[in-house]
Each structure stands twice: as C-alpha cells, then as structure tokens.
Amino acid sequence: MFRPRQKSMMKAVIIPKQIYSAVDDILKTLNKPVNKIAISQLNAHSAFLYNYPERIDGNIALLGVQSQFVDISVIVGGQLAYYELT
C-alpha cells in the first residue's frame, strides 16, 4: 500500500530456482553472468514515462493482463507507489 511519508521502498522478485539456474548455466557457457532481471510490468512503467513525459507528475495506473495473471501498478509522481500481481 502507498504510504506518502515512507522514505524508501524495496522491490523483490521471486523466481523459481530451477529457472534461474537454467538461465545462469546457459549464460555461463557464453561467459555472461546474470547481472539484471527485468520484470515486464516495471519495464512498462519506464516505457510509459519515456513516451509520455508530460504525465510524469500525475497519478497513473497500469494493468498488464497475461494468461491467468493481472499486474496492477500505480505510479505517483514518476515513482512506483503500488504493485500487485493477481
């Protein structure tokens, strides 16, 4: 939940260890370690703010619908204020 007085926020991603290990093994053969894991909904935030810079000060809700999941997120003043995967 968004708390305006909160000074910091942490984002976490849960990835099954088997998937991470498989990707890590493949990339090790190419001598390329896993440095960054990108989440599509968070990338949607960046793309939205890049394409609509005039909206950066507003309140924005983004919905991502994929298979049986719905990503719901809110951006307030250019910052992630709420995220939920249902």
Side-chain angles (χ1 to χ4, degrees):
M1 175 179 269
F2 176 63
R3 294 182 182 101
R5 295 189 180 125
Q6 187 175 351
K7 299 206 186 241
S8 63
M9 179 184 287
M10 178 180 282
K11 295 179 237 176
V13 177
I14 298 173
I15 299 173
K17 189 172 183 175
Q18 289 177 306
I19 293 173
Y20 180 86
S21 295
V23 171
D24 191 46
D25 289 344
I26 292 167
L27 292 176
K28 279 182 185 174
T29 64
L30 301 171
N31 200 26
K32 302 286 183 187
V34 175
N35 291 327
K36 181 179 176 182
I37 298 172
I39 306 305
S40 61
Q41 185 73 3
L42 301 179
N43 289 336
H45 296 170
S46 298
F48 182 89
L49 294 173
Y50 178 82
N51 287 298
Y52 301 97
E54 68 277 9
R55 305 262 185 193
I56 199 164
D57 292 325
N59 299 334
I60 302 156
L62 297 176
L63 300 175
V65 180
Q66 185 177 17
S67 299
Q68 70 270 27
F69 298 104
V70 177
D71 287 290
I72 304 166
S73 55
V74 177
I75 302 170
V76 175
Q79 298 295 314
L80 178 63
Y82 176 81
Y83 175 78
E84 184 169 340
L85 175 64
T86 59

